């Protein structure tokens, strides 16, 4: 499987099982955490949703979406009927998931307005959805806590990654220096042009010396924004050690034939899924 890589990091593992291609992260694999990030490959959806669309809100046949969830679950290693789905709104609300929540979003309606999920209970697969935004994955091996946060530009400005770290510190006693984390496939700096309004939001929350690290000023009111670097700064400043952090080198927009990208498709696309299960 030939992906276009944004750099020489190669910290994303490409997996294939029964025709389903998904991505994993070395440090989480080494820690023994069941997780994966879907691609477009291996599902049954058609047209611009082909083939592994994992959203019920993009106009797809619900039965095909259910089959896609079943296939990706079988490939990664969880039972799709137990999934807990997020219902994301680019905010910073975190939901603690327990066994009673199994099936939320799959067999019944899910709680709205959630951009992060977390649990310390085994056997509860969790799902967050993407099509250019940044998936953040977390695992605390000491307290056996796993979770994910959806971090688009709004979530990044709001530093949802740091809020997630603070949340599991408070709720589970997690220590940031023990957390294993990953920044997953999303749009890269070269592909992500933003305007002055978005750039100004970042200038308000990042230090002046950090701005050149996360943003290139093109001089015409346009900027190239690096959400990977911005989230790396957020997570390491929250106490996560660099040696415990995998940062992807796969851009959704550069690989829009294999990954759904909102920008590359001008909104005509399905959704990718990120999954974790203890």
């Amino acid at each position: 499987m030939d992906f276009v890589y944004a750099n020489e990091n190669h910290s994303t593992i490409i997996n294939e099982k029964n025709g389903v291609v998904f991505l994993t992260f070395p440090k989480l694999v080494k820690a023994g955490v069941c997780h994966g990030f879907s691609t477009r490959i291996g599902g049954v959806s058609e047209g611009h949703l082909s083939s592994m669309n994992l959203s019920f809100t993009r106009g797809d046949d619900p039965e095909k979406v259910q089959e896609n969830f079943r296939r990706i679950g079988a490939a990664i290693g969880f039972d799709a009927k137990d999934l807990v789905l997020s219902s994301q709104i680019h905010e910073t609300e975190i939901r603690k998931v327990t066994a009673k929540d199994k099936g939320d979003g799959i067999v019944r309606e899910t709680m709205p307005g959630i951009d992060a999920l977390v649990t310390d209970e085994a056997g509860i697969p969790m799902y967050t959805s993407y099509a250019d935004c940044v998936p953040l994955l977390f695992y605390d091996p000491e307290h056996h806590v796993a979770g994910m946060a959806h971090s688009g530009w709004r979530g990044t400005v709001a530093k949802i990654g740091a809020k997630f770290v603070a949340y599991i510190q408070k709720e589970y006693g997690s220590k940031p220096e023990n957390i294993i984390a990953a920044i997953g496939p999303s749009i890269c700096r070269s592909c992500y042009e933003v305007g002055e309004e978005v750039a100004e939001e970042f200038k308000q929350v990042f230090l002046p010396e950090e701005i050149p690290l996360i943003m290139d000023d093109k001089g015409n009111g346009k900027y190239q924004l690096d959400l990977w670097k911005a989230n790396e700064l957020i997570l390491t400043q929250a106490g996560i050690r660099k040696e415990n952090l995998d940062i992807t080198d796969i851009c959704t927009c550069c690989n829009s034939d294999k990954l759904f990208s909102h920008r590359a498709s001008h909104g005509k696309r399905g959704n990718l899924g990120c999954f974790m299960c203890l």
Side-chain angles (χ1 to χ4, degrees):
M1 181 62 56
D2 294 325
F3 279 82
V4 175
Y5 292 93
N7 54 52
E8 299 300 320
N9 192 13
H10 294 333
S11 63
T12 312
I13 302 167
I14 301 166
N15 309 268
E16 186 274 332
K17 186 174 182 180
N18 297 328
V20 175
V21 177
F22 63 98
L23 310 175
T24 54
F25 308 99
K27 292 178 177 60
L28 290 171
V29 170
K30 186 176 180 180
V33 183
C34 175
H35 74 286
F37 186 86
S38 72
T39 68
R40 297 182 64 166
I41 302 158
V44 297
S45 298
E46 299 174 347
H48 67 276
L49 300 171
S50 66
S51 64
M52 184 61 78
N53 168 49
L54 296 169
S55 172
F56 293 103
T57 64
R58 307 299 302 182
D60 204 352
D61 179 343
E63 291 187 6
K64 291 182 177 178
V65 180
Q66 290 280 7
E67 174 62 14
N68 289 340
F69 274 115
R70 188 197 67 77
R71 290 188 180 197
I72 192 70
I76 295 174
F78 60 83
D79 190 336
K81 75 177 188 303
D82 291 334
L83 270 165
V84 179
L85 274 62
S86 58
S87 181
Q88 298 155 195
I89 57 170
H90 299 273
E91 295 286 347
T92 60
E93 191 70 24
I94 301 166
R95 181 184 182 188
K96 184 185 290 187
V97 174
T98 63
K100 67 178 176 59
D101 302 311
K102 285 183 178 182
D104 278 11
I106 289 289
V107 299
R108 58 180 176 270
E109 291 295 315
T110 190
M111 187 183 296
I114 303 296
D115 278 86
L117 299 172
V118 63
T119 193
D120 64 347
E121 295 185 22
I124 308 172
M126 300 172 290
Y127 160 93
T128 47
S129 65
Y130 303 89
D132 278 338
C133 292
V134 183
L136 303 176
L137 297 85
F138 304 87
Y139 175 61
D140 171 8
E142 182 181 6
H143 296 89
H144 206 50
V145 175
M148 297 174 291
H150 163 260
S151 187
W153 77 258
R154 289 181 180 87
T156 303
V157 162
K159 299 192 175 182
I160 189 172
K163 290 179 179 178
F164 189 96
V165 171
Y167 182 90
I168 64 173
Q169 280 184 273
K170 178 182 177 183
E171 296 294 322
Y172 301 103
S174 299
K175 298 173 183 175
E177 62 269 23
N178 292 336
I179 296 170
I180 299 165
I183 296 171
S186 38
I187 196 165
C188 74
R189 187 181 191 131
S190 297
C191 292
Y192 195 34
E193 182 183 85
V194 300
E196 193 71 54
E197 183 178 343
V198 173
E200 189 58 35
E201 294 268 0
F202 280 81
K203 291 176 183 177
Q204 293 298 316
V205 298
F206 285 86
L207 296 172
E209 59 267 28
E210 294 173 335
I211 295 302
L213 299 176
I214 65 170
M215 207 155 44
D216 296 319
D217 186 346
K218 299 168 76 173
N220 57 354
K222 301 293 183 182
Y223 299 78
Q224 296 299 135
L225 178 59
D226 191 338
L227 293 176
W228 298 348
K229 188 64 180 180
N231 278 287
E232 178 189 353
L233 290 173
I234 290 165
L235 296 185
T236 54
Q237 289 168 6
I240 292 177
R241 294 174 174 170
K242 284 189 177 182
E243 58 266 31
N244 288 340
L245 177 62
D246 276 325
I247 304 169
T248 192
D249 47 6
I250 293 180
C251 168
T252 45
C253 191
C254 290
N255 294 281
S256 59
D257 57 332
K258 303 175 189 68
L259 302 168
F260 291 116
S261 167
H262 186 82
R263 182 152 295 205
S265 66
H266 305 285
K268 195 176 181 181
R269 47 79 182 174
N271 275 18
L272 304 164
C274 194
F275 303 89
M276 293 188 83
C277 184
L278 291 171

